């Protein structure tokens, strides 16, 4: 029956290997729904254009790496002549995987179907930018309920298609110590999204700003930036902090061990004992289980098949190494380097 709740036990969730989200901009944008808010004429559209261009060409943006793919920019307050001028000013190359549209349907009245149809024709679609959000809203009045309901529809669409949807939005003139409280509309907007970015000039007309970043899958950050009028792009002045990996010591030890053993089947406690042959690090059974489950999908790229199964004596870890599928050769950061430098990410 359709009205029966579909559930999973904590045991099932904690033993399932899920495919990780793919960051199309390192540490900033992944699959889901995001809002980029800023005052009028602050340079939101220039930043949005730069993001689309960078993803379409696979080059860094805001000092961070990107995953190359198709980008769709819904420029709902522009015309093609203005877009052409901006592209020329940014010295953009003619590329076929960056698409623009000047009109789109409203949320709940055709927009979702338009994006879904575009995705069918462009399987490598990574990002859809909607500039501005108000142009696709069906509800004129803004309340927590209406804001949340409309954005949830786009969020579910982003999840279903495995893409990022970035909404360009306005900020009020009213002052607030929390820049996210300055976004036009109710708190339902920020509550429905996966992440929010607030672009706020340090002084009106200065060309300098701070972009405040927060989200469910990203670390809170404040990016100090200035607008380069020659390149017509926002440039980040403070380097993004290197995120330390908490998993690479364990995963690197597992890699070294299974590469020699080829096959292992046993409890987490038994695996920890075996790992003592390749590292002096203290590793706990619950830690090794957690790291393997959370990184099981990624491990397959290095030729390691992982299963966590229940047998009559309890749960066992099964590892198998296939050297033909090991993609670690030739990487800048090797698996073994992580054993001596826990700030580097190897697997």
């Amino acid at each position: 029956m359709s009205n029966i709740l579909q559930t999973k036990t904590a045991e099932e969730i904690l033993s399932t290997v899920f495919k990780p989200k793919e960051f199309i901009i390192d540490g900033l944008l992944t699959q889901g729904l995001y809002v980029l808010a800023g005052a009028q004429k602050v340079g939101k559209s220039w930043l949005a254009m730069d993001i689309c261009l960078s993803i379409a060409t696979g080059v860094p943006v805001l000092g961070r790496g990107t995953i190359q793919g198709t980008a769709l920019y819904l420029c709902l307050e522009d015309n093609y002549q203005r877009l052409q001028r901006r592209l020329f000013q940014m010295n953009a190359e003619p590329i076929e995987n960056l698409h623009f549209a000047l009109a789109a349907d409203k949320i709940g009245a055709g927009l979702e179907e338009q994006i879904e149809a575009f995705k069918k024709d462009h399987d490598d679609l990574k990002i859809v930018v909607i500039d501005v959000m108000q142009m696709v809203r069906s509800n004129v009045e803004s309340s927590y309920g209406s804001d949340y309901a409309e954005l949830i529809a786009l969020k579910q669409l982003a999840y279903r298609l495995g893409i990022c949807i970035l909404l360009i939005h306005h900020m009020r003139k009213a002052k607030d110590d929390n820049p996210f409280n300055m976004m036009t509309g109710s708190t339902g907007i920020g509550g429905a999204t996966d992440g929010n970015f607030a672009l706020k000039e340090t002084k009106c007309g200065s060309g300098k700003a701070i972009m405040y970043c927060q989200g469910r899958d990203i670390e809170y950050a404040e990016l100090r930036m200035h607008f380069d009028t020659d390149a017509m792009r926002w440039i980040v002045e403070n380097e993004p902090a290197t995120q330390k990996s908490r998993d690479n010591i364990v995963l690197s030890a597992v890699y070294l061990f299974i590469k020699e053993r080829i096959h292992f089947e046993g409890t987490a406690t038994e695996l920890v004992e075996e790992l003592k042959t390749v590292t002096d690090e203290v590793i706990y059974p619950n830690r090794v289980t957690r790291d393997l489950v959370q990184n099981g999908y990624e491990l397959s790229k290095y030729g390691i098949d992982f299963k966590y199964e229940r047998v009559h004596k309890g749960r066992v870890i099964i590892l198998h190494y296939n050297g033909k599928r090991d993609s670690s050769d030739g990487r800048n950061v090797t698996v073994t380097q992580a054993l001596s430098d826990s700030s580097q990410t190897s697997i």
Side-chain angles (χ1 to χ4, degrees), residues 202-223:
T202 54
K203 183 180 179 181
C204 185
S206 66
K208 293 182 178 293
I210 296 177
M211 187 166 76
Y212 300 86
C213 316
Q214 69 173 13
R216 293 183 172 90
D217 300 300
I218 63 177
E219 297 288 337
Y220 177 82
E222 296 181 7
L223 304 182

Side-chain angles (χ1 to χ4, degrees), residues 164-226:
C164 171
I165 297 179
L166 178 62
L167 302 172
I168 309 303
H169 191 40
H170 295 305
M171 293 174 70
R172 300 187 197 82
K173 293 182 179 180
K175 301 289 184 180
D176 196 294
D177 291 337
N178 184 342
F180 299 107
N181 290 340
M182 297 172 62
M183 291 195 303
T184 303
S186 75
T187 55
I189 293 175
T193 60
D194 292 292
N196 300 297
F197 306 98
L199 183 62
K200 187 178 179 183
E201 275 190 306
T202 54
K203 183 180 179 181
C204 185
S206 66
K208 293 182 178 293
I210 296 177
M211 187 166 76
Y212 300 86
C213 316
Q214 69 173 13
R216 293 183 172 90
D217 300 300
I218 63 177
E219 297 288 337
Y220 177 82
E222 296 181 7
L223 304 182
R224 294 191 303 274
M225 309 194 299
H226 72 269

Side-chain angles (χ1 to χ4, degrees), residues 42 45 49 53 63 80 89 95 112 117-118 127 135 139 141 191 210 234 276 278 280 298 301 307 321:
V42 73
S45 294
M49 179 77 83
L53 273 170
Y80 285 124
Q89 288 177 287
I95 50 178
E112 296 94 317
F118 185 87
I127 188 169
M135 295 291 289
N139 292 315
E141 297 297 326
I210 296 177
W234 284 101
K276 291 179 180 178
V278 294
D280 294 329
E298 192 71 14
K301 299 178 183 178
K307 293 181 180 179
Y321 178 72

Side-chain angles (χ1 to χ4, degrees), residues 48-185:
M49 179 77 83
D50 194 15
I51 288 172
C52 288
L53 273 170
S54 298
I55 291 171
T57 54
V59 301
V61 63
L62 299 175
R64 298 167 184 254
T66 61
I67 297 294
Q68 187 173 10
T70 293
L72 172 62
Y73 193 163
L74 305 184
C75 314
L76 307 180
E77 293 185 320
D78 275 312
N79 55 55
Y80 285 124
Q81 290 90 341
R82 188 177 298 128
L83 292 175
Q84 182 190 66
R85 185 168 65 251
R86 286 181 181 172
L87 288 168
F88 276 134
Q89 288 177 287
M90 299 177 78
N91 293 316
E93 296 292 332
I95 50 178
E96 294 186 353
N97 60 340
L98 173 54
H99 299 256
F100 299 92
L102 303 183
D105 290 336
K106 304 287 187 181
I107 300 171
L111 177 64
E112 296 94 317
E113 291 77 12
Q114 288 178 324
I115 294 175
E116 197 155 5
F118 185 87
K119 167 70 173 176
K120 288 181 180 178
D121 291 335
H122 304 86
D123 188 58
D124 67 336
L125 178 66
K126 299 295 183 184
I127 188 169
V128 176
V129 172
I130 300 177
D131 188 358
V132 291
M133 180 177 75
Q134 194 62 32
M135 295 291 289
V136 296
R137 297 210 53 188
S138 297
N139 292 315
V140 177
E141 297 297 326
S142 178
S143 67
Y144 184 95
S146 61
D147 290 346
Y148 193 90
E150 284 195 320
L151 267 61
I152 282 295
L154 288 183
K155 183 178 183 177
Q156 292 172 341
L157 175 67
Y159 286 172
R160 187 168 68 251
L161 300 183
I163 62 173
C164 171
I165 297 179
L166 178 62
L167 302 172
I168 309 303
H169 191 40
H170 295 305
M171 293 174 70
R172 300 187 197 82
K173 293 182 179 180
K175 301 289 184 180
D176 196 294
D177 291 337
N178 184 342
F180 299 107
N181 290 340
M182 297 172 62
M183 291 195 303
T184 303

